[in-house]
Amino acid sequence: MLGWAGGGDRLGRMRYVEPVFRPPSEAESYLLPVTTGCSHNRCSFCAMYRGKRFRVRPEREVLEDIAMAKETLGDVRRVFLLDGDAFVLSAAKLLPVLSALKAAFPSLNRVGSYVNAGNVLSKTDEELRSLAEEGLRIGYLGLESGDPDVIAHCDKGATVDEMVVAVGRAQAAGIRMSVMGLLGLAGAEGSAAHARATARAVNRMQPRYLSLLTVSPVPGTPLCEDAEAGRGRPPSPKEALRELRWIVQGLELTGTIFRSNHASNYLPLAGRLPADKTRLLRTIDLALAGEIALTPEFLRGL
Ligand code: SF4
């Protein structure tokens, strides 16, 4: 999954291994490191944790952090577990952390984590339900693409089918899932197939939240090396917009909050699906016709 630089947020730089990433919707959350880095750390487009060796923090350290946060912050409503896939921890390791958070923060109403398919599939339904009951209520999963060839090429570490099953099982257990797709990941040539397959995979998932971000080749990643070597052409802003339109057009969702207003996108969009589908498509059409200005390249962020 792509992430967003969050810094130490409200706790300054206390016991964080920088850089720290979190989803935009966790901007107000207390960020609690339970792991460092990403257990997979191989996706071709991602440089977020390349400088960090994956490690699980000892429970003693995590519990000390919670006590410190209680002293510094008083009460908090939301907690986000760091780092790249804190959900890799077994239920036996996560449950005491969730219990300590509940005990420390009486107003706590949700704990979130980045989630990989394997993190979910390695847990039983009962374990997933216990985690949700103990407060783990939202997981952020990078689908990136519904196209199996694109997923294999970017070394995602899970198949599309596995990601679909993981989202279904997590949601059935009470963990709301926020799924991310990456515009431009298949280059200009693979754009139409990537869009069609991504819409199909998202339809099978029926996630509570869906965000689409736009890929940018980050130096030091295999994706950037491919781009520099001329292997595949990244889509132009207009081609990325057309890809966005194909995906939105193909979505058949029953109750999803949709966002493509991340700093990496050329056109910020937000709405609820299915209610806002026609409005979203009309906005994309206006942008394609040049009647709405796109975010210029120099203002796009990762
Ligand atoms: S799973 Fe892939 S995209 Fe997500 S943090 Fe790890 S390397 Fe990056």
Side-chain angles (χ1 to χ4, degrees), residues 1 38 40-43 45-46 49 84 116 144 156:
M1 75 229 34
C38 164
H40 179 58
N41 213 13
R42 293 170 58 93
C43 297
F45 52 85
C46 175
Y49 303 100
N116 286 342
E144 329 303 358
K156 185 68 203 164

Side-chain angles (χ1 to χ4, degrees), residues 49-117:
Y49 303 100
R50 284 192 186 244
K52 290 187 188 183
R53 218 169 106 214
F54 178 74
R55 129 181 140 91
V56 177
R57 287 187 81 207
E59 187 179 306
R60 177 188 45 79
E61 271 183 29
V62 175
L63 298 182
E64 280 170 12
D65 273 15
I66 295 173
M68 274 192 271
K70 183 178 166 58
E71 252 183 65
T72 316
L73 303 173
D75 203 0
V76 299
R77 293 182 63 246
R78 289 182 178 186
V79 175
F80 183 73
L81 303 178
L82 301 174
D83 242 343
D85 63 336
F87 207 69
V88 71
L89 296 187
S90 64
K93 282 203 156 72
L94 283 168
L95 285 168
V97 174
L98 295 170
S99 305
L101 286 169
K102 247 166 83 170
F105 305 120
S107 305
L108 186 67
N109 73 1
R110 111 177 173 192
V111 179
S113 168
Y114 284 132
V115 167
N116 286 342

Side-chain angles (χ1 to χ4, degrees), residues 145 147 150 182-195 215 232-233 235 243:
S145 175
D147 184 331
V150 175
L182 262 186
L183 298 171
L185 187 58
E189 297 78 9
S191 179
H194 164 59
V215 76
R233 178 176 69 77
E243 185 173 297

